Amino acid sequence: TSKTTTKTPKARLSTPIDKSIKLDKKIIKDAIVRHLHCSLGTDENKANNHAWWKATCAAVQEQVLEQLRKTQKSHYLNDTRAVHYFSAEFLMGRLMSNNLHNLGMFEQTQQALTELGVNLTDIMEEEPDMALGNGGLGRLAACFIDSLATLDLPAVGYGLHYEHGLFRQEIKNGEQIERPDSWRDYGNPWEICRPESIQEIPLYGYVETKYGDNGRIKKEWHPGLIVKGLPWDIPVVGYGGKTVNVLRLWQSQASDYFNWDVFNAGGYLDAQKENVQAETISKVLYPNDETEAGKELRLIQQYFFSACSLKDIIRRYKRAHGDNWSRFSSQVVIQLNDTHPAIAIPELMRILLDRAELDWDTAWAISSNTFAYTNHTLLPEALEKWPARMFEKILPRHLEIIYEINHRFMLEVEKVWPGNVAMKQKLSIIEEGSDKMVRMGNLSVVGSFKVNGVAEIHSALVKKNLFPEFDHMWPGKLTNVTNGITPRRWLKACNPKLSNLIDDKIGSDWPLDLNKLQELANYADNAKFQKQFMQIKFENKQALAIEIKALTGIDVDPKAIFDVQIKRLHEYKRQHLNLLHIMALYRRLLANPNYDMHPRVFIFGAKAAPGYKLAKDIIYAINQVATRINNDKRVNGKLKVVFLPNYRVSLAEKIIPAADVSEQISTAGKEASGTGNMKLSLNGALTIGTLDGANIEIAEEVGDENIFIFGLTVDEIDALHKTGYNPFDYYDNNREIKAILDWLETDYFTPGKPGALASLKHSLLEGGDPYKVLADFESYSAAHEKVDAAYKDTTRWAKMAILNSAKMGKFTSDRSIKDYVERIWKLEACKVDE
Ligand code: F58
């Protein structure tokens, strides 16, 4: 076979889409039936949807595994440099539709199943979401591995094989109830267990200092517990079906030999205890979308998957390069998705110092040229810090190494700011105090060769406010890579009607070259195209209306404006600003039944962290207000409020194609980027949003006339903060705000329970309104009046919606990945041999 490697990933993109594997319908049909019989032990007459789904997965997986084998062979033979994306979260969602589209076998499979009397859309509903992530950060990782495979880049995703992903949300009497998510109960047909690549991971214990023959000090860590890491591989199919990379997820297990003694001595229960402890590590995803302060298990999870992954990388490197470490950082780049895997930095140092016996400077040169770090938040409460005491107990050797990294770093600080103690305190990896803390952000910056933020404004604020001194010490280390989303999942697969229309208009290579959508702008004024575009939106809204009815019992009219806010529940994202405005509309309608507004359906989807009281109160408030409004005849069908339970990737795929309006209303400076904003706009929703995160770049792309921007800017928020913000100014001076907040304290929305929504009012007044909800209310309300006016002008709205889709080219995750390759990873594409 001939090997072809292209020099840059650009070369791959400028060529038209490769012919994906064209599989005959008959072959697919036979494979599905064969699996029904031979893998599942059933037949066409007995099989239910679940069995059909599994048989279809198995038939698809045959194709996937063949490409996986070829990809691995190509990467091995070419000894390629590869990126290793370390992430505690991968929010994959379902894989069937995505894999079929990326393999180019969706239509054939659909036809094959139809001939077997089975509906593909129905059986796809059988697949549980892989919800191994909380929100944007985890979904970004999923989009990135899709793009990496699509661009033929050698890459491995590394993470945790959680037994339970993010909790399933039920709503009972308006309140969020968390139920365990058991996504693997009936097996996951996509994953492959790799017992041949098990790793052993030490924990706890103590460090012994020894003197080697050469008089050099040697450190030996005597762990108190060893756990096994068992890898599960999920194939990641690139669009076009050529490159298939892997996502490798580690499951923890008890190390077998370790407790047999206890067992044989009759200590069956003690032995069981140790099993339970080891197996707890990968049991459950932490559902907090901030940090889990001081949770021992969380640090162990982070170390466990980082250490397993590093060992795996080193095993592969040694197969090609033996004990010669000199090429390590030119073959291996590790991207840290937030600080969660930052413990990999001292772990690599430990291996290089204690195992490979390299000297400090050599080890540090290798390590600090291997890691790069992505920051996803400026919120101080979300920056990870671990108590040094806890570190000492779980990872005693790593704490020593961190102290040494810090000591040497402090000498650098002294050179730049001689005698400046305050500066050392500020920059130190160790926060001094009664309880010493390890600052994982500082460790990540010191131990990486590049640090990036996730949108222009966010990266600018990382430089200006979060790490200004680091930027001064190492000019050029801090950079930006604006986030992106995969257009394969977020347009082609989730919105087939719009995708087909786009194919007809501009050809079918836009999924690989999203800037092509720009050509749609030529049709933005075309009456026929507008009609087609809006008809598809309408049909998607009809489909969502059916889903809403099924999930909540609420009837909504697809002719109303579908106004959508879907994201984790957080005060900074300001779902409560949306809610206050809904209450204002309700109040206006009650005061004046002829109040002029196009009917609107406000749709929410959001999970709250189980321990985040106010976030849960906001969910309750949304549901109570919804119930009151939806049952009030006086609003005349002009206003509906829907809270869709259990928001997740597969639900997003149904909501997004049906959205008219996208709510992106965070307090300026708080949302690092956002990615839902991109997905909604790509599907023709118009954004109402603040100048925050990627909204700013979206506005630049679509133009100010095609987006509804409102609210205070970052600078204005800063200024307001400095002069002293008093929410009572707004309460006392704006009658509408006062009336709404007071309304919350009555029992109008919670019959018989006055005060049940008071915590909301309280947080906005006595609580100081930390996210400036009241300061932005008027401007938000005015922006909504503009939305209403724009929608009433159907031609204008259609044009704006088309232009939103047309201008989203920048936000493909392929562009993000190309930026990473150019600015950070310096990778080359590697074509897979036929
Ligand atoms: C998100 N962070 C940002 N964190 O909030 C969002 O603006 C950005 O678009 C996205 O990352 C991708 O860059 C986020 O989702 C988490 O969920 C973490 C979960 C684990 C604890 C810390 C927060």
Side-chain angles (χ1 to χ4, degrees):
T1 55
S2 70
K3 294 188 284 292
T4 44
T5 44
T6 49
K7 277 294 161 211
T8 71
K10 271 188 197 107
R12 170 71 173 76
L13 273 191
S14 55
T15 56
I17 170 175
D18 287 319
K19 283 273 164 289
S20 41
I21 325 159
K22 283 281 174 256
L23 264 190
D24 184 56
K25 184 174 68 178
K26 168 89 170 58
I27 299 179
I28 299 174
K29 210 166 136 181
D30 290 348
I32 294 172
V33 172
R34 174 162 43 83
H35 280 291
L36 213 50
H37 296 181
C38 306
S39 310
L40 292 152
T42 182
D43 68 35
E44 297 92 310
N45 301 318
K46 283 194 283 182
N48 61 8
N49 276 347
H50 194 79
W52 281 110
W53 167 67
K54 274 207 158 164
T56 308
C57 287
V60 176
Q61 186 80 329
E62 285 183 359
Q63 306 304 314
V64 172
L65 293 185
E66 189 58 13
Q67 281 310 115
L68 173 66
R69 188 182 57 75
K70 290 179 185 168
T71 304
Q72 298 196 327
K73 191 168 162 205
S74 289
H75 291 176
Y76 178 72
L77 291 176
N78 288 294
D79 191 21
T80 50
R81 171 174 168 83
V83 63
H84 305 82
Y85 200 83
F86 279 29
S87 179
E89 307 191 2
F90 286 89
L91 231 185
M92 301 293 285
R94 293 173 174 160
L95 301 186
M96 167 86 91
S97 152
N98 203 247
N99 286 351
L100 285 174
H101 276 108
N102 284 10
L103 290 165
M105 53 190 278
F106 190 89
E107 269 86 29
Q108 299 96 302
T109 306
Q110 190 164 42
Q111 288 165 14
L113 284 164
T114 305
E115 288 178 13
L116 290 163
V118 176
N119 181 295
L120 175 58
T121 315
D122 290 347
I123 69 167
M124 288 193 312
E125 287 296 315
E126 290 295 314
E127 180 166 356
D129 277 38
M130 263 184 93
L132 310 186
N134 273 289
L137 170 149
R139 183 55 231 176
L140 186 76
C143 285
F144 279 4
I145 57 178
D146 176 276
S147 283
L148 281 161
T150 297
L151 296 173
D152 295 318
L153 290 162
V156 187
Y158 277 112
L160 276 155
H161 190 264
Y162 299 107
E163 188 176 326
H164 302 282
L166 188 61
F167 66 85
R168 186 162 53 78
Q169 178 193 56
E170 287 177 5
I171 301 294
K172 282 249 160 71
N173 302 322
E175 282 176 306
Q176 166 176 302
I177 313 282
E178 301 92 23
R179 298 259 173 252
D181 160 65
S182 306
W183 63 286
R184 285 175 80 251
D185 267 6
Y186 306 107
N188 171 10
W190 303 112
E191 63 188 8
I192 309 151
C193 186
R194 303 279 196 202
E196 69 273 24
S197 301
I198 282 178
Q199 300 294 350
E200 297 201 322
I201 303 303
L203 288 165
Y204 303 106
Y206 63 96
V207 179
E208 185 186 5
T209 307
K210 285 182 171 170
Y211 293 90
D213 310 332
N214 51 8
R216 254 173 69 176
I217 289 183
K218 270 197 66 170
K219 295 285 190 171
E220 203 171 310
W221 176 19
H222 300 275
L225 175 68
I226 295 194
V227 296
K228 270 195 318 197
L230 171 65
W232 294 84
D233 286 354
I234 320 280
V236 181
V237 183
Y239 188 69
K242 286 285 160 25
T243 291
V244 175
N245 285 331
V246 298
L247 169 59
R248 175 159 282 194
L249 302 177
W250 300 96
Q251 180 192 351
S252 63
Q253 286 189 336
S255 177
D256 10 56
Y257 57 73
F258 208 74
N259 31 38
W260 275 111
D261 291 348
V262 190
F263 183 85
N264 291 335
Y268 178 75
L269 286 177
D270 288 343
Q272 275 309 310
K273 234 192 244 159
E274 223 152 57
N275 281 338
V276 170
Q277 203 195 356
E279 279 158 20
T280 304
I281 297 173
S282 59
K283 258 278 178 269
V284 45
L285 167 78
Y286 273 92
N288 203 332
D289 56 354
E290 277 172 26
T291 52
E292 211 59 61
K295 287 273 162 56
E296 206 171 301
L297 181 62
R298 173 81 178 169
L299 177 60
I300 295 176
Q301 283 187 336
Q302 297 182 346
Y303 176 64
F304 168 75
F305 95 87
S306 301
C308 285
S309 310
L310 267 179
K311 285 198 161 153
D312 202 50
I313 292 168
I314 291 169
R315 174 187 56 81
R316 212 173 296 124
Y317 174 80
K318 284 195 164 178
R319 205 164 60 188
H321 304 273
D323 283 337
N324 176 5
W325 288 92
S326 68
R327 287 178 43 72
F328 189 78
S329 62
S330 52
Q331 293 303 95
V332 175
V333 55
I334 297 174
Q335 190 67 34
L336 305 172
N337 196 24
D338 215 304
T339 56
H340 317 146
I343 188 63
I345 296 170
E347 171 68 0
L348 180 57
M349 283 300 284
R350 182 184 73 83
I351 293 167
L352 296 174
L353 295 167
D354 300 357
R355 297 273 148 169
E357 305 200 345
L358 302 182
D359 62 83
W360 182 278
D361 290 335
T362 309
W364 185 247
I366 294 171
S367 176
S368 57
N369 281 305
T370 297
F371 291 102
Y373 152 58
T374 306
N375 172 281
H376 296 267
T377 184
L378 301 163
L379 297 182
E381 63 272 28
L383 294 175
E384 284 194 302
K385 276 185 207 170
W386 294 108
R389 266 181 306 103
M390 217 173 86
F391 242 101
E392 193 166 15
K393 174 174 158 203
I394 300 167
L395 301 168
R397 179 61 183 134
H398 297 76
L399 186 62
E400 288 185 355
I401 291 171
I402 290 170
Y403 281 139
E404 183 64 21
I405 294 172
N406 196 44
H407 170 70
R408 288 165 188 253
F409 168 56
M410 287 293 111
L411 297 178
E412 297 295 308
V413 175
E414 171 62 22
K415 280 188 211 152
V416 184
W417 292 281
N420 189 336
V421 178
M423 190 58 85
K424 290 203 188 82
Q425 276 171 355
K426 182 162 182 218
L427 300 188
S428 175
I429 296 169
I430 308 298
E431 183 183 278
E432 299 293 337
S434 55
D435 242 343
K436 271 195 201 169
M437 304 289 262
V438 182
R439 295 169 170 152
M440 301 309 273
N442 295 27
L443 174 63
S444 300
V445 179
V446 173
S448 298
F449 66 93
K450 285 278 175 181
V451 175
N452 74 285
V454 292
E456 290 290 349
I457 189 172
H458 169 65
S459 299
L461 293 171
V462 167
K463 278 193 193 180
K464 187 171 152 245
N465 299 338
L466 190 62
F467 299 135
E469 299 82 7
F470 291 114
D471 188 40
H472 176 83
M473 287 181 76
W474 300 303
K477 188 190 259 202
L478 274 54
T479 182
N480 173 250
V481 179
T482 297
N483 283 168
I485 56 166
T486 170
R488 275 76 66 178
R489 179 178 293 264
W490 296 111
L491 180 52
K492 190 172 169 66
C494 76
N495 198 344
K497 288 179 176 164
L498 184 55
S499 299
N500 289 339
L501 176 66
I502 296 172
D503 285 354
D504 290 346
K505 267 296 175 231
I506 66 167
S508 55
D509 44 7
W510 56 267
L512 275 185
D513 184 1
L514 204 62
N515 285 319
K516 283 251 163 78
L517 290 185
Q518 175 73 25
E519 290 172 33
L520 291 178
N522 300 330
Y523 304 95
D525 284 305
N526 179 313
K528 183 173 166 218
F529 187 72
Q530 289 184 347
K531 205 173 159 216
Q532 291 172 315
F533 193 94
M534 293 314 290
Q535 176 62 25
I536 287 168
K537 181 63 82 183
F538 183 72
E539 288 169 19
N540 291 338
K541 288 163 73 176
Q542 285 179 314
L544 182 61
I546 292 169
E547 194 73 26
I548 288 173
K549 177 75 180 174
L551 291 172
T552 65
I554 302 169
D555 288 300
V556 297
D557 180 357
K559 290 200 278 304
I561 301 173
F562 279 18
D563 184 314
V564 164
Q565 188 171 17
I566 42 176
K567 50 186 80 247
R568 282 301 284 260
L569 203 307
H570 202 292
E571 287 165 273
Y572 86 75
K573 296 179 188 282
R574 301 199 293 190
Q575 281 92 351
H576 49 339
L577 173 57
N578 191 343
L579 181 64
L580 294 188
H581 173 252
I582 292 169
M583 292 170 67
L585 289 179
Y586 182 36
R587 193 168 165 275
R588 290 172 206 170
L589 281 166
L590 293 184
N592 171 13
N594 295 319
Y595 179 74
D596 181 32
M597 63 176 275
H598 189 90
R600 194 99 63 119
V601 181
F602 288 94
I603 298 167
F604 292 86
K607 287 178 182 173
Y612 188 172
K613 174 73 168 49
L614 187 56
K616 291 179 124 178
D617 289 353
I618 293 172
I619 289 180
Y620 179 62
I622 293 170
N623 280 310
Q624 292 307 116
V625 170
T627 305
R628 188 74 172 91
I629 292 178
N630 297 342
N631 294 301
D632 192 335
K633 295 268 176 334
R634 295 171 296 176
V635 303
N636 228 333
K638 279 183 176 170
L639 195 54
K640 282 271 162 80
V641 183
V642 175
F643 186 96
L644 285 174
N646 201 26
Y647 178 63
R648 62 198 186 284
V649 171
S650 61
L651 189 52
E653 288 165 0
K654 299 180 175 129
I655 299 171
I656 288 169
D660 294 307
V661 176
S662 159
E663 299 271 351
Q664 307 299 336
I665 61 178
S666 53
T667 317
K670 301 296 181 194
E671 188 70 272
S673 163
T675 46
N677 46 4
M678 303 166 186
K679 296 165 196 166
L680 283 154
S681 177
L682 178 63
N683 283 274
L686 305 195
T687 304
I688 179 166
T690 48
L691 286 174
D692 196 18
N695 295 352
I696 297 176
E697 289 161 76
I698 291 175
E700 276 166 22
E701 295 299 305
V702 301
D704 293 343
E705 67 285 8
N706 296 310
I707 188 167
F708 302 94
I709 294 294
F710 73 94
L712 299 170
T713 62
V714 170
D715 290 341
E716 287 163 350
I717 294 264
D718 267 2
L720 187 59
H721 206 73
K722 283 190 185 116
T723 57
Y725 172 62
N726 183 1
F728 282 96
D729 292 347
Y730 299 87
Y731 178 77
D732 293 332
N733 296 319
N734 183 318
R735 286 178 48 211
E736 195 169 50
I737 290 179
K738 180 167 192 312
I740 294 163
L741 291 185
D742 292 346
W743 214 357
L744 284 171
E745 273 194 326
T746 68
D747 73 347
Y748 197 83
F749 301 100
T750 53
K753 287 191 241 167
L757 305 181
S759 66
L760 207 58
K761 175 183 182 186
H762 188 266
S763 82
L764 294 173
L765 294 174
E766 295 81 10
D769 184 14
Y771 297 97
K772 314 284 186 294
V773 170
L774 301 189
D776 272 347
F777 179 85
E778 256 189 48
S779 146
Y780 179 57
S781 174
H784 264 304
E785 285 179 23
K786 290 188 183 151
V787 170
D788 182 71
Y791 196 84
K792 285 173 181 150
D793 182 346
T794 50
T795 311
R796 178 175 160 214
W797 188 275
K799 178 178 178 178
M800 293 169 82
I802 293 165
L803 287 174
N804 267 265
S805 293
K807 305 285 188 179
M808 281 303 104
K810 172 175 177 183
F811 302 103
T812 169
S813 43
D814 298 346
R815 191 271 313 142
S816 306
I817 290 300
K818 283 187 266 175
D819 286 351
Y820 275 100
V821 167
E822 202 176 285
R823 296 173 200 171
I824 305 177
W825 300 338
K826 315 285 179 194
L827 291 182
E828 286 180 3
C830 176
K831 282 278 179 87
V832 173
D833 298 338
E834 285 311 306

